[in-house]
Amino acid sequence: MTEADRSITAMAQIERKVLWLATWMIHNANHLRLKSDDLKIGGHQASSASLTTIMTALYFSVLKPEDRVAVKPHASPVFHAIQYLFGKQSREKLERFRGLNGAQSYPSRTKDNDDVDFSTGSVGLGVAHTLFSSLVQDYLRAKDLGLGRPEGRMVALLGDAEMDEGNIFEALLEGWKHGLRNCWWIVDYNRQSLDAVVREGLWERFESIFRSFGWEVLILKHGQLQQRAFAEPGGDQLKAWIDSCPNQLYSALTFQGGAAWRKRMLEDMAGQVEVSRLIGSRSDEELLALMANLGGHDLVTLLEAFGQARHHDRPVCFIAYTIKGFGLPLAGHKDNHAGILTIAQVDALREALGIRPGHEWDILEGLSLPSHELEAFIATAPFNTSETRRLTAPFVAVPKELVVPAQTVQSTQAGFGQILSEIGRNGGDFAQRIVTTSPDVTVSTNLGGWVNRRGLFARREMADIFRRERIPSTFAWEFSPKGQHMELGIAEMNLFTMLSALGLSHVHFGERLLPVGTLYDPFILRGLDALNYACYQDARFIVVATPSGITLAPEGGAHQSIATPLIGLAQDGLASFEPAFVDELAIILRFAFDYIQRDGDREPNSVTWLRDATGGSVYLRLSTRVIEQPMRALSGDLAEAIVNGGYWMREPGPNAELVIAYMGAVAQEAISAAGALAGDCRDIGVLAVTSADRLNAGWNAAQRARSYGERQAKSHAERLLHGLAPHCRILTVSDGHPATLAWLAAVGGHKTRSLGVEHFGQSGSIEELYHHYGLDVDGIVAAANAHVRESR
């Protein structure tokens, strides 16, 4: 036996073991583990089985440590089983699959302890992430960063039904624009989805789409058994019949078995002597094995295709024909997606694999090759390195202060652009590590000055034709490997997936970047799934959303954001800020560049107040509205208060009847209203809220801490409101949903009324719309007077 043959033999045995462990893991969770309720646990045995051969070939022969893999969500048990064989997953975790502190339902960077590169619970998003991670790798290497490590391939394993996700096709277009390299997408073409069998000829559509975007496409339809059968007399007819067989029929006959295959094929090819002999020469068991021998279940076919593709760096789509549930009793059945093997079926499978009761978790149980040979094969798999694949990168020093443009009137959006432009002008390692990106709104979100200074990124230089032709333009934009802005098309899903990839560069490539993305605030909702996914992965970035609220008034409801402050309040892994003034923005932005680099415990204990040690991503909700800027110096306690979520713009007196708490662009209305009310309301206070998110998180954390015995725990919100008399009323004002600040009522038990926007806006001036929604000075004064009268 040659070395190659021995390797295939060992891999075939490991494939059986991986299938067993994945199946047993799910069986144990559903049938054997003690449960406190009757909730079905599930686990996708059929979806796991269809990818077992492909994943065995990849992890035990093809992949190298520098490669990064997004595993099909429903093949999570296969991934965990392989990690268990590698010694990177514990039996205890497998026994607790889909349970608390067990191996996760879908591979998770932040929840699993084994070697997960990309979280893939959100269907389609992990696939697109590999494309953008490949672009990030090219960006780094163009900057001579990460050259001490070999280039890796970004690999996605996806189901054919997963290709229905629109974000995948949006990503394909962006990959074409940026000259995608070193990316493999392997489609588990089992022709079944959650509810149905996929349409006929779908593979042709896939092939056409990928080729049009410059991908190489390799179709792996027939395994070695089938290819040898095609060489026999009658093989041409057999191949033609297989290639024309409808997907539903192929699945149904697979489930029914060899006798059903024989009956149907002999009927369809009656009178064709040679193919009838070919079929008749095989037993029912052999005929079933032949018809199930598709390319995605044949190790030799897979290894040849993967080996061919490793010789170049072009993106490759492998369309690998498989059978959903391959190797299990439910193979091919259209209802098998959520199907779970019965206890009797698992017992039969265990007996067929030669696994003794009580030895189900033993790594080499039931395998015929000598133990030392299999152990050596697993240990020497190229991917099975003893070194950690989760890399780290040094902290990038952030300047003690960011320069604030001194202007008497200004918007926070313009201030952001000027601060970033000044960073670009100063240069240094801090500026060099910043990378910006935007979905075709670079100019309208005030990134133009930064891009003028730092340039647009492309692997090959592209001149600015307008500049070359001496046509006057505000922007001198040239593409080159030196550029630091990655221009995207107008697709917000791509923006957040790109930010996620950039924000994991330190983990995947050992080089830290400081990503900043900009978009219009209302269009966060277009990319919300990808934003949530990026935060779930613990990617680190700053997203600047502007203009916000109804301040882009003439644009109407489609360009006005109501719910985004609530998103900032609720989104885990994302610290949300809405400064009213540019000097506040400078303090917050400096904090943000520091915060996105912090790497503490991802799961703080119950007495942790704020996750400042952990860090996370940051969301800045800015405005195009020009307002008068305070001339002041922010430092010390005031700067800290701004970062923690709020400060007193006007401290309330000891007998205060009213506090106006405002957030964002309504600052001047709130402050003016307080002045107008001063004669009627005693000791009125004005609270500037810079982050409802940080205030709320600190308050909740302090309450948790007290419930666990830390009686002295007190949050920033509680300290701010501590001195208010019980009868004092709070009026909150924000350019968004009023619920954003309504919770302040519960901090000290003060009756609160909240003003804001609850309905989609209509076109008009800011003055008209603020009046319409009661956010102008007159509206705030009227609401305040009515609110205070109730307490008198």
Side-chain angles (χ1 to χ4, degrees), residues 151-193:
E151 278 189 324
R153 278 180 172 76
M154 306 298 116
V155 180
L157 302 166
L158 64 152
D160 45 9
E162 199 169 358
M163 288 290 291
D164 287 346
E165 291 288 351
N167 74 284
I168 289 177
F169 298 97
E170 291 178 336
L172 280 175
L173 182 58
E174 211 60 63
W176 171 78
K177 292 178 188 176
H178 287 274
L180 178 66
R181 305 162 59 245
N182 291 318
C183 188
W184 288 2
W185 287 2
I186 304 169
V187 181
D188 172 16
Y189 195 62
N190 59 43
R191 293 165 285 174
Q192 289 184 243
S193 64

mmCIF file of all heavy atoms in Angstrom, residues 151-193:
data_model
loop_
_atom_site.group_PDB
_atom_site.id
_atom_site.type_symbol
_atom_site.label_atom_id
_atom_site.label_comp_id
_atom_site.label_asym_id
_atom_site.label_seq_id
_atom_site.Cartn_x
_atom_site.Cartn_y
_atom_site.Cartn_z
ATOM 1 N N GLU A 151 0.573 33.623 3.932
ATOM 2 C CA GLU A 151 -0.798 33.970 3.546
ATOM 3 C C GLU A 151 -1.709 32.782 3.798
ATOM 4 O O GLU A 151 -1.352 31.641 3.531
ATOM 5 C CB GLU A 151 -0.866 34.332 2.055
ATOM 6 C CG GLU A 151 -0.477 35.744 1.732
ATOM 7 C CD GLU A 151 -0.773 36.089 0.288
ATOM 8 O OE1 GLU A 151 -0.614 35.211 -0.582
ATOM 9 O OE2 GLU A 151 -1.147 37.238 0.025
ATOM 10 N N GLY A 152 -2.886 33.084 4.286
ATOM 11 C CA GLY A 152 -3.865 32.029 4.492
ATOM 12 C C GLY A 152 -5.011 32.136 3.515
ATOM 13 O O GLY A 152 -5.211 33.163 2.870
ATOM 14 N N ARG A 153 -5.749 31.052 3.402
ATOM 15 C CA ARG A 153 -6.982 31.059 2.611
ATOM 16 C C ARG A 153 -8.163 31.222 3.546
ATOM 17 O O ARG A 153 -8.205 30.623 4.620
ATOM 18 C CB ARG A 153 -7.128 29.768 1.809
ATOM 19 C CG ARG A 153 -6.338 29.801 0.517
ATOM 20 C CD ARG A 153 -6.481 28.520 -0.274
ATOM 21 N NE ARG A 153 -5.853 28.672 -1.580
ATOM 22 C CZ ARG A 153 -4.543 28.655 -1.793
ATOM 23 N NH1 ARG A 153 -3.714 28.475 -0.764
ATOM 24 N NH2 ARG A 153 -4.049 28.803 -3.008
ATOM 25 N N MET A 154 -9.109 32.019 3.105
ATOM 26 C CA MET A 154 -10.339 32.200 3.859
ATOM 27 C C MET A 154 -11.387 31.271 3.244
ATOM 28 O O MET A 154 -11.752 31.421 2.069
ATOM 29 C CB MET A 154 -10.805 33.655 3.799
ATOM 30 C CG MET A 154 -9.746 34.672 4.236
ATOM 31 S SD MET A 154 -9.192 34.501 5.935
ATOM 32 C CE MET A 154 -7.448 34.089 5.684
ATOM 33 N N VAL A 155 -11.830 30.306 4.022
ATOM 34 C CA VAL A 155 -12.647 29.207 3.508
ATOM 35 C C VAL A 155 -14.026 29.249 4.150
ATOM 36 O O VAL A 155 -14.144 29.333 5.380
ATOM 37 C CB VAL A 155 -11.976 27.853 3.807
ATOM 38 C CG1 VAL A 155 -12.821 26.700 3.276
ATOM 39 C CG2 VAL A 155 -10.563 27.808 3.221
ATOM 40 N N ALA A 156 -15.065 29.180 3.332
ATOM 41 C CA ALA A 156 -16.438 29.108 3.839
ATOM 42 C C ALA A 156 -17.059 27.784 3.422
ATOM 43 O O ALA A 156 -16.973 27.383 2.254
ATOM 44 C CB ALA A 156 -17.275 30.259 3.307
ATOM 45 N N LEU A 157 -17.661 27.104 4.370
ATOM 46 C CA LEU A 157 -18.438 25.895 4.103
ATOM 47 C C LEU A 157 -19.904 26.270 4.245
ATOM 48 O O LEU A 157 -20.342 26.671 5.324
ATOM 49 C CB LEU A 157 -18.071 24.798 5.114
ATOM 50 C CG LEU A 157 -16.599 24.395 5.159
ATOM 51 C CD1 LEU A 157 -16.294 23.584 6.405
ATOM 52 C CD2 LEU A 157 -16.242 23.605 3.919
ATOM 53 N N LEU A 158 -20.659 26.145 3.174
ATOM 54 C CA LEU A 158 -22.039 26.629 3.198
ATOM 55 C C LEU A 158 -22.983 25.650 2.528
ATOM 56 O O LEU A 158 -22.589 24.899 1.628
ATOM 57 C CB LEU A 158 -22.149 27.987 2.510
ATOM 58 C CG LEU A 158 -21.830 28.089 1.024
ATOM 59 C CD1 LEU A 158 -22.604 29.241 0.399
ATOM 60 C CD2 LEU A 158 -20.345 28.306 0.776
ATOM 61 N N GLY A 159 -24.209 25.666 2.983
ATOM 62 C CA GLY A 159 -25.234 24.860 2.349
ATOM 63 C C GLY A 159 -25.786 25.539 1.107
ATOM 64 O O GLY A 159 -25.744 26.763 0.983
ATOM 65 N N ASP A 160 -26.307 24.748 0.190
ATOM 66 C CA ASP A 160 -26.855 25.341 -1.034
ATOM 67 C C ASP A 160 -28.033 26.261 -0.725
ATOM 68 O O ASP A 160 -28.194 27.315 -1.345
ATOM 69 C CB ASP A 160 -27.247 24.266 -2.061
ATOM 70 C CG ASP A 160 -28.010 23.097 -1.460
ATOM 71 O OD1 ASP A 160 -28.396 23.180 -0.276
ATOM 72 O OD2 ASP A 160 -28.208 22.094 -2.164
ATOM 73 N N ALA A 161 -28.849 25.916 0.255
ATOM 74 C CA ALA A 161 -29.965 26.781 0.622
ATOM 75 C C ALA A 161 -29.477 28.087 1.244
ATOM 76 O O ALA A 161 -30.163 29.105 1.180
ATOM 77 C CB ALA A 161 -30.900 26.061 1.596
ATOM 78 N N GLU A 162 -28.291 28.068 1.827
ATOM 79 C CA GLU A 162 -27.717 29.282 2.414
ATOM 80 C C GLU A 162 -27.431 30.324 1.336
ATOM 81 O O GLU A 162 -27.352 31.524 1.614
ATOM 82 C CB GLU A 162 -26.435 28.913 3.158
ATOM 83 C CG GLU A 162 -25.970 29.920 4.175
ATOM 84 C CD GLU A 162 -24.851 29.390 5.065
ATOM 85 O OE1 GLU A 162 -24.455 28.217 4.908
ATOM 86 O OE2 GLU A 162 -24.366 30.157 5.904
ATOM 87 N N MET A 163 -27.281 29.846 0.095
ATOM 88 C CA MET A 163 -27.025 30.766 -1.013
ATOM 89 C C MET A 163 -28.231 31.640 -1.342
ATOM 90 O O MET A 163 -28.142 32.543 -2.166
ATOM 91 C CB MET A 163 -26.609 29.981 -2.258
ATOM 92 C CG MET A 163 -25.211 29.377 -2.183
ATOM 93 S SD MET A 163 -23.927 30.630 -2.260
ATOM 94 C CE MET A 163 -24.110 31.177 -3.962
ATOM 95 N N ASP A 164 -29.370 31.405 -0.687
ATOM 96 C CA ASP A 164 -30.524 32.290 -0.874
ATOM 97 C C ASP A 164 -30.319 33.630 -0.181
ATOM 98 O O ASP A 164 -31.060 34.582 -0.448
ATOM 99 C CB ASP A 164 -31.790 31.631 -0.322
ATOM 100 C CG ASP A 164 -32.290 30.496 -1.202
ATOM 101 O OD1 ASP A 164 -31.831 30.396 -2.346
ATOM 102 O OD2 ASP A 164 -33.140 29.714 -0.735
ATOM 103 N N GLU A 165 -29.361 33.712 0.730
ATOM 104 C CA GLU A 165 -29.142 34.946 1.481
ATOM 105 C C GLU A 165 -28.573 36.036 0.573
ATOM 106 O O GLU A 165 -27.523 35.867 -0.047
ATOM 107 C CB GLU A 165 -28.192 34.692 2.653
ATOM 108 C CG GLU A 165 -28.784 33.829 3.755
ATOM 109 C CD GLU A 165 -29.838 34.567 4.573
ATOM 110 O OE1 GLU A 165 -29.988 35.792 4.397
ATOM 111 O OE2 GLU A 165 -30.516 33.916 5.390
ATOM 112 N N GLY A 166 -29.258 37.171 0.534
ATOM 113 C CA GLY A 166 -28.859 38.250 -0.368
ATOM 114 C C GLY A 166 -27.507 38.848 -0.060
ATOM 115 O O GLY A 166 -26.804 39.317 -0.974
ATOM 116 N N ASN A 167 -27.101 38.856 1.212
ATOM 117 C CA ASN A 167 -25.826 39.486 1.552
ATOM 118 C C ASN A 167 -24.646 38.769 0.893
ATOM 119 O O ASN A 167 -23.595 39.376 0.666
ATOM 120 C CB ASN A 167 -25.634 39.527 3.072
ATOM 121 C CG ASN A 167 -25.303 38.181 3.667
ATOM 122 O OD1 ASN A 167 -26.161 37.328 3.811
ATOM 123 N ND2 ASN A 167 -24.048 37.991 4.030
ATOM 124 N N ILE A 168 -24.819 37.487 0.572
ATOM 125 C CA ILE A 168 -23.749 36.745 -0.103
ATOM 126 C C ILE A 168 -23.482 37.342 -1.480
ATOM 127 O O ILE A 168 -22.320 37.522 -1.887
ATOM 128 C CB ILE A 168 -24.120 35.250 -0.203
ATOM 129 C CG1 ILE A 168 -24.053 34.600 1.193
ATOM 130 C CG2 ILE A 168 -23.214 34.511 -1.190
ATOM 131 C CD1 ILE A 168 -24.459 33.147 1.211
ATOM 132 N N PHE A 169 -24.534 37.682 -2.188
ATOM 133 C CA PHE A 169 -24.364 38.212 -3.539
ATOM 134 C C PHE A 169 -23.885 39.669 -3.510
ATOM 135 O O PHE A 169 -23.151 40.103 -4.398
ATOM 136 C CB PHE A 169 -25.677 38.062 -4.308
ATOM 137 C CG PHE A 169 -26.082 36.622 -4.454
ATOM 138 C CD1 PHE A 169 -26.988 36.054 -3.582
ATOM 139 C CD2 PHE A 169 -25.519 35.822 -5.428
ATOM 140 C CE1 PHE A 169 -27.344 34.718 -3.692
ATOM 141 C CE2 PHE A 169 -25.861 34.490 -5.551
ATOM 142 C CZ PHE A 169 -26.778 33.933 -4.670
ATOM 143 N N GLU A 170 -24.298 40.421 -2.496
ATOM 144 C CA GLU A 170 -23.739 41.759 -2.321
ATOM 145 C C GLU A 170 -22.227 41.678 -2.108
ATOM 146 O O GLU A 170 -21.461 42.485 -2.640
ATOM 147 C CB GLU A 170 -24.399 42.450 -1.125
ATOM 148 C CG GLU A 170 -25.857 42.813 -1.341
ATOM 149 C CD GLU A 170 -26.494 43.450 -0.115
ATOM 150 O OE1 GLU A 170 -25.997 43.214 1.001
ATOM 151 O OE2 GLU A 170 -27.480 44.176 -0.280
ATOM 152 N N ALA A 171 -21.808 40.699 -1.330
ATOM 153 C CA ALA A 171 -20.375 40.540 -1.056
ATOM 154 C C ALA A 171 -19.613 40.145 -2.313
ATOM 155 O O ALA A 171 -18.479 40.599 -2.526
ATOM 156 C CB ALA A 171 -20.174 39.494 0.044
ATOM 157 N N LEU A 172 -20.201 39.302 -3.143
ATOM 158 C CA LEU A 172 -19.529 38.878 -4.377
ATOM 159 C C LEU A 172 -19.153 40.081 -5.233
ATOM 160 O O LEU A 172 -18.051 40.146 -5.798
ATOM 161 C CB LEU A 172 -20.437 37.944 -5.181
ATOM 162 C CG LEU A 172 -20.505 36.488 -4.747
ATOM 163 C CD1 LEU A 172 -21.536 35.749 -5.580
ATOM 164 C CD2 LEU A 172 -19.149 35.813 -4.877
ATOM 165 N N LEU A 173 -20.049 41.042 -5.341
ATOM 166 C CA LEU A 173 -19.785 42.222 -6.151
ATOM 167 C C LEU A 173 -18.619 43.019 -5.571
ATOM 168 O O LEU A 173 -17.738 43.479 -6.311
ATOM 169 C CB LEU A 173 -21.041 43.096 -6.225
ATOM 170 C CG LEU A 173 -20.947 44.362 -7.075
ATOM 171 C CD1 LEU A 173 -20.584 44.027 -8.511
ATOM 172 C CD2 LEU A 173 -22.262 45.130 -7.022
ATOM 173 N N GLU A 174 -18.582 43.155 -4.242
ATOM 174 C CA GLU A 174 -17.489 43.902 -3.617
ATOM 175 C C GLU A 174 -16.160 43.172 -3.781
ATOM 176 O O GLU A 174 -15.115 43.803 -3.970
ATOM 177 C CB GLU A 174 -17.793 44.124 -2.130
ATOM 178 C CG GLU A 174 -17.220 45.393 -1.561
ATOM 179 C CD GLU A 174 -17.734 46.633 -2.259
ATOM 180 O OE1 GLU A 174 -18.939 46.914 -2.211
ATOM 181 O OE2 GLU A 174 -16.891 47.333 -2.871
ATOM 182 N N GLY A 175 -16.197 41.851 -3.721
ATOM 183 C CA GLY A 175 -14.972 41.086 -3.946
ATOM 184 C C GLY A 175 -14.420 41.289 -5.340
ATOM 185 O O GLY A 175 -13.203 41.418 -5.539
ATOM 186 N N TRP A 176 -15.310 41.349 -6.324
ATOM 187 C CA TRP A 176 -14.877 41.584 -7.713
ATOM 188 C C TRP A 176 -14.225 42.959 -7.839
ATOM 189 O O TRP A 176 -13.191 43.107 -8.479
ATOM 190 C CB TRP A 176 -16.081 41.463 -8.640
ATOM 191 C CG TRP A 176 -15.791 41.888 -10.046
ATOM 192 C CD1 TRP A 176 -15.135 41.174 -11.014
ATOM 193 C CD2 TRP A 176 -16.133 43.151 -10.637
ATOM 194 N NE1 TRP A 176 -15.055 41.907 -12.172
ATOM 195 C CE2 TRP A 176 -15.657 43.128 -11.972
ATOM 196 C CE3 TRP A 176 -16.796 44.282 -10.176
ATOM 197 C CZ2 TRP A 176 -15.825 44.203 -12.839
ATOM 198 C CZ3 TRP A 176 -16.963 45.350 -11.036
ATOM 199 C CH2 TRP A 176 -16.480 45.304 -12.350
ATOM 200 N N LYS A 177 -14.820 43.967 -7.207
ATOM 201 C CA LYS A 177 -14.270 45.317 -7.288
ATOM 202 C C LYS A 177 -12.859 45.393 -6.731
ATOM 203 O O LYS A 177 -12.002 46.107 -7.256
ATOM 204 C CB LYS A 177 -15.151 46.305 -6.509
ATOM 205 C CG LYS A 177 -16.520 46.563 -7.080
ATOM 206 C CD LYS A 177 -17.260 47.519 -6.144
ATOM 207 C CE LYS A 177 -18.706 47.693 -6.536
ATOM 208 N NZ LYS A 177 -19.424 48.539 -5.549
ATOM 209 N N HIS A 178 -12.618 44.674 -5.653
ATOM 210 C CA HIS A 178 -11.342 44.796 -4.943
ATOM 211 C C HIS A 178 -10.331 43.712 -5.310
ATOM 212 O O HIS A 178 -9.285 43.615 -4.670
ATOM 213 C CB HIS A 178 -11.599 44.775 -3.434
ATOM 214 C CG HIS A 178 -12.227 46.039 -2.912
ATOM 215 N ND1 HIS A 178 -11.499 47.141 -2.534
ATOM 216 C CD2 HIS A 178 -13.525 46.373 -2.723
ATOM 217 C CE1 HIS A 178 -12.311 48.094 -2.125
ATOM 218 N NE2 HIS A 178 -13.549 47.662 -2.239
ATOM 219 N N GLY A 179 -10.617 42.910 -6.339
ATOM 220 C CA GLY A 179 -9.646 41.912 -6.783
ATOM 221 C C GLY A 179 -9.437 40.808 -5.766
ATOM 222 O O GLY A 179 -8.299 40.493 -5.367
ATOM 223 N N LEU A 180 -10.522 40.164 -5.355
ATOM 224 C CA LEU A 180 -10.482 39.123 -4.326
ATOM 225 C C LEU A 180 -9.477 38.020 -4.655
ATOM 226 O O LEU A 180 -9.397 37.553 -5.783
ATOM 227 C CB LEU A 180 -11.880 38.519 -4.173
ATOM 228 C CG LEU A 180 -12.037 37.376 -3.172
ATOM 229 C CD1 LEU A 180 -11.806 37.865 -1.747
ATOM 230 C CD2 LEU A 180 -13.410 36.738 -3.315
ATOM 231 N N ARG A 181 -8.753 37.580 -3.632
ATOM 232 C CA ARG A 181 -7.800 36.467 -3.749
ATOM 233 C C ARG A 181 -7.975 35.538 -2.546
ATOM 234 O O ARG A 181 -8.583 35.884 -1.555
ATOM 235 C CB ARG A 181 -6.346 36.981 -3.753
ATOM 236 C CG ARG A 181 -6.005 38.005 -4.792
ATOM 237 C CD ARG A 181 -4.722 38.766 -4.463
ATOM 238 N NE ARG A 181 -3.567 37.883 -4.341
ATOM 239 C CZ ARG A 181 -2.886 37.683 -3.207
ATOM 240 N NH1 ARG A 181 -3.251 38.297 -2.091
ATOM 241 N NH2 ARG A 181 -1.845 36.874 -3.186
ATOM 242 N N ASN A 182 -7.390 34.349 -2.664
ATOM 243 C CA ASN A 182 -7.242 33.433 -1.521
ATOM 244 C C ASN A 182 -8.551 33.196 -0.769
ATOM 245 O O ASN A 182 -8.598 33.256 0.465
ATOM 246 C CB ASN A 182 -6.182 33.967 -0.551
ATOM 247 C CG ASN A 182 -4.796 33.914 -1.139
ATOM 248 O OD1 ASN A 182 -4.424 32.935 -1.784
ATOM 249 N ND2 ASN A 182 -4.016 34.957 -0.938
ATOM 250 N N CYS A 183 -9.595 32.939 -1.499
ATOM 251 C CA CYS A 183 -10.892 32.694 -0.877
ATOM 252 C C CYS A 183 -11.537 31.472 -1.520
ATOM 253 O O CYS A 183 -11.616 31.390 -2.754
ATOM 254 C CB CYS A 183 -11.791 33.921 -1.036
ATOM 255 S SG CYS A 183 -13.339 33.844 -0.105
ATOM 256 N N TRP A 184 -11.959 30.526 -0.701
ATOM 257 C CA TRP A 184 -12.677 29.345 -1.170
ATOM 258 C C TRP A 184 -14.066 29.319 -0.546
ATOM 259 O O TRP A 184 -14.212 29.509 0.660
ATOM 260 C CB TRP A 184 -11.979 28.050 -0.736
ATOM 261 C CG TRP A 184 -10.701 27.722 -1.433
ATOM 262 C CD1 TRP A 184 -10.054 28.433 -2.380
ATOM 263 C CD2 TRP A 184 -9.914 26.554 -1.187
ATOM 264 N NE1 TRP A 184 -8.903 27.791 -2.764
ATOM 265 C CE2 TRP A 184 -8.794 26.637 -2.050
ATOM 266 C CE3 TRP A 184 -10.033 25.450 -0.347
ATOM 267 C CZ2 TRP A 184 -7.799 25.643 -2.082
ATOM 268 C CZ3 TRP A 184 -9.054 24.471 -0.367
ATOM 269 C CH2 TRP A 184 -7.947 24.562 -1.232
ATOM 270 N N TRP A 185 -15.077 29.099 -1.380
ATOM 271 C CA TRP A 185 -16.408 28.808 -0.867
ATOM 272 C C TRP A 185 -16.775 27.404 -1.334
ATOM 273 O O TRP A 185 -16.756 27.115 -2.535
ATOM 274 C CB TRP A 185 -17.440 29.815 -1.384
ATOM 275 C CG TRP A 185 -17.306 31.170 -0.750
ATOM 276 C CD1 TRP A 185 -16.381 31.575 0.163
ATOM 277 C CD2 TRP A 185 -18.158 32.294 -0.985
ATOM 278 N NE1 TRP A 185 -16.593 32.884 0.509
ATOM 279 C CE2 TRP A 185 -17.677 33.362 -0.172
ATOM 280 C CE3 TRP A 185 -19.273 32.526 -1.793
ATOM 281 C CZ2 TRP A 185 -18.274 34.618 -0.163
ATOM 282 C CZ3 TRP A 185 -19.868 33.781 -1.778
ATOM 283 C CH2 TRP A 185 -19.381 34.813 -0.968
ATOM 284 N N ILE A 186 -17.080 26.537 -0.382
ATOM 285 C CA ILE A 186 -17.395 25.137 -0.690
ATOM 286 C C ILE A 186 -18.875 24.920 -0.403
ATOM 287 O O ILE A 186 -19.317 24.945 0.748
ATOM 288 C CB ILE A 186 -16.521 24.191 0.158
ATOM 289 C CG1 ILE A 186 -15.037 24.509 -0.075
ATOM 290 C CG2 ILE A 186 -16.829 22.736 -0.179
ATOM 291 C CD1 ILE A 186 -14.104 23.817 0.908
ATOM 292 N N VAL A 187 -19.628 24.741 -1.478
ATOM 293 C CA VAL A 187 -21.085 24.615 -1.366
ATOM 294 C C VAL A 187 -21.456 23.155 -1.156
ATOM 295 O O VAL A 187 -21.161 22.289 -1.992
ATOM 296 C CB VAL A 187 -21.786 25.160 -2.628
ATOM 297 C CG1 VAL A 187 -23.303 25.033 -2.479
ATOM 298 C CG2 VAL A 187 -21.392 26.611 -2.878
ATOM 299 N N ASP A 188 -22.067 22.881 -0.019
ATOM 300 C CA ASP A 188 -22.606 21.554 0.293
ATOM 301 C C ASP A 188 -23.913 21.414 -0.482
ATOM 302 O O ASP A 188 -24.989 21.759 0.006
ATOM 303 C CB ASP A 188 -22.813 21.479 1.812
ATOM 304 C CG ASP A 188 -23.543 20.222 2.250
ATOM 305 O OD1 ASP A 188 -23.634 19.276 1.450
ATOM 306 O OD2 ASP A 188 -24.017 20.189 3.401
ATOM 307 N N TYR A 189 -23.787 20.900 -1.707
ATOM 308 C CA TYR A 189 -24.927 20.884 -2.626
ATOM 309 C C TYR A 189 -25.739 19.608 -2.412
ATOM 310 O O TYR A 189 -25.757 18.691 -3.233
ATOM 311 C CB TYR A 189 -24.424 20.990 -4.066
ATOM 312 C CG TYR A 189 -25.498 21.342 -5.081
ATOM 313 C CD1 TYR A 189 -26.191 22.541 -5.003
ATOM 314 C CD2 TYR A 189 -25.811 20.474 -6.117
ATOM 315 C CE1 TYR A 189 -27.170 22.862 -5.927
ATOM 316 C CE2 TYR A 189 -26.784 20.791 -7.056
ATOM 317 C CZ TYR A 189 -27.469 21.985 -6.948
ATOM 318 O OH TYR A 189 -28.436 22.307 -7.866
ATOM 319 N N ASN A 190 -26.443 19.579 -1.245
ATOM 320 C CA ASN A 190 -27.258 18.394 -0.946
ATOM 321 C C ASN A 190 -28.675 18.518 -1.491
ATOM 322 O O ASN A 190 -29.467 17.588 -1.351
ATOM 323 C CB ASN A 190 -27.278 18.112 0.558
ATOM 324 C CG ASN A 190 -27.830 19.259 1.378
ATOM 325 O OD1 ASN A 190 -28.840 19.876 1.020
ATOM 326 N ND2 ASN A 190 -27.192 19.552 2.499
ATOM 327 N N ARG A 191 -28.986 19.675 -2.080
ATOM 328 C CA ARG A 191 -30.239 19.914 -2.787
ATOM 329 C C ARG A 191 -31.473 19.840 -1.898
ATOM 330 O O ARG A 191 -32.589 19.616 -2.359
ATOM 331 C CB ARG A 191 -30.370 18.955 -3.983
ATOM 332 C CG ARG A 191 -29.347 19.227 -5.061
ATOM 333 C CD ARG A 191 -29.232 18.090 -6.050
ATOM 334 N NE ARG A 191 -28.512 16.967 -5.463
ATOM 335 C CZ ARG A 191 -28.359 15.801 -6.050
ATOM 336 N NH1 ARG A 191 -28.886 15.593 -7.244
ATOM 337 N NH2 ARG A 191 -27.701 14.832 -5.451
ATOM 338 N N GLN A 192 -31.259 20.042 -0.586
ATOM 339 C CA GLN A 192 -32.382 20.110 0.346
ATOM 340 C C GLN A 192 -32.222 21.348 1.220
ATOM 341 O O GLN A 192 -31.114 21.698 1.626
ATOM 342 C CB GLN A 192 -32.427 18.869 1.240
ATOM 343 C CG GLN A 192 -32.847 17.602 0.517
ATOM 344 C CD GLN A 192 -32.959 16.417 1.464
ATOM 345 O OE1 GLN A 192 -32.245 15.443 1.338
ATOM 346 N NE2 GLN A 192 -33.865 16.510 2.418
ATOM 347 N N SER A 193 -33.342 21.991 1.502
ATOM 348 C CA SER A 193 -33.341 23.121 2.414
ATOM 349 C C SER A 193 -34.132 22.730 3.659
ATOM 350 O O SER A 193 -34.459 21.568 3.863
ATOM 351 C CB SER A 193 -33.951 24.354 1.735
ATOM 352 O OG SER A 193 -35.320 24.125 1.433
#
